[in-house]
Amino acid sequence: MLKVNFWDILFTIVNVLVIYWILKKFLFNRIKNVIDDREANIRDQFTEAGNRKKEADEEKAKYLKKQDAAEQEAAAIVKKARTEADRIYDKSLAEAQEEADAIRAKARTDAENIKQRNLAESREAISALALMAAKKILENGDKDAADSSTQ
């Protein structure tokens, strides 16, 4: 059977207390210090990660501002280019219209000059024909008169 001896229990309790005291003195403090150091290290890493995230968010905000500014500048440049292109188009169109009007006016003037020249040439030709006809009539009239007188 099992016998319980008072001295064995007391000796066991004393041994446990001595071992606990030795472990506490040499081991528990070191383990606690290691755990505290780990906690502080982890806390620092979280703080650093939070700071980096904050810096990244600030950089992202700056980038987005720059991107918006660049987009606005690009839109302004495109608008300015379109305005300039419209101005150049209108100017070219006006110049082409002026050239077309000048060509039409010159064509009218040339047509009028050709018409006047043709009229003058026609009058000269008619006058020449009328003279030739008058000559022929006179020649025929003289011939008829000479024939009549010889007869």
Side-chain angles (χ1 to χ4, degrees):
M1 308 249 182
L2 195 63
K3 263 174 103 176
V4 177
N5 188 352
F6 173 74
W7 291 109
D8 286 339
I9 292 176
L10 184 64
F11 182 71
T12 305
I13 291 175
V14 170
N15 278 337
V16 168
L17 288 176
V18 169
I19 290 173
Y20 176 75
W21 179 79
I22 291 172
L23 289 176
K24 184 178 178 188
K25 178 130 176 129
F26 295 108
L27 187 63
F28 289 159
N29 285 335
R30 288 184 182 171
I31 291 174
K32 187 177 182 221
N33 289 339
V34 169
I35 290 173
D36 289 343
D37 288 345
R38 279 299 290 274
E39 285 178 355
N41 190 11
I42 290 170
R43 213 174 304 113
D44 290 344
Q45 287 178 351
F46 274 121
T47 304
E48 186 178 338
N51 290 339
R52 285 186 180 177
K53 184 179 184 303
K54 185 178 175 183
E55 289 174 5
D57 289 342
E58 290 172 358
E59 288 298 319
K60 182 180 177 184
K62 287 179 186 177
Y63 170 76
L64 290 176
K65 276 185 180 179
K66 285 181 181 179
Q67 185 179 10
D68 288 342
E71 287 175 358
Q72 289 175 355
E73 186 178 344
I77 289 170
V78 167
K79 183 178 179 182
K80 183 179 177 184
R82 283 188 180 148
T83 304
E84 183 67 17
D86 288 343
R87 186 187 64 76
I88 290 171
Y89 172 77
D90 291 343
K91 182 180 176 184
S92 297
L93 188 62
E95 288 174 357
Q97 186 65 38
E98 287 176 7
E99 286 180 27
D101 290 344
I103 290 171
R104 278 191 221 115
K106 186 175 184 243
R108 284 188 195 115
T109 304
D110 290 346
E112 187 64 32
N113 289 339
I114 291 171
K115 180 180 172 184
Q116 292 299 325
R117 191 174 49 219
N118 287 342
L119 280 175
E121 288 175 0
S122 297
R123 285 185 190 136
E124 287 178 17
I126 291 172
S127 297
L129 286 174
L131 281 175
M132 285 183 4
K135 254 188 188 175
K136 290 254 183 189
I137 291 174
L138 286 177
E139 286 177 4
N140 284 339
D142 283 342
K143 257 189 185 173
D144 287 340
D147 286 339
S148 335
S149 60
T150 47
Q151 287 182 3

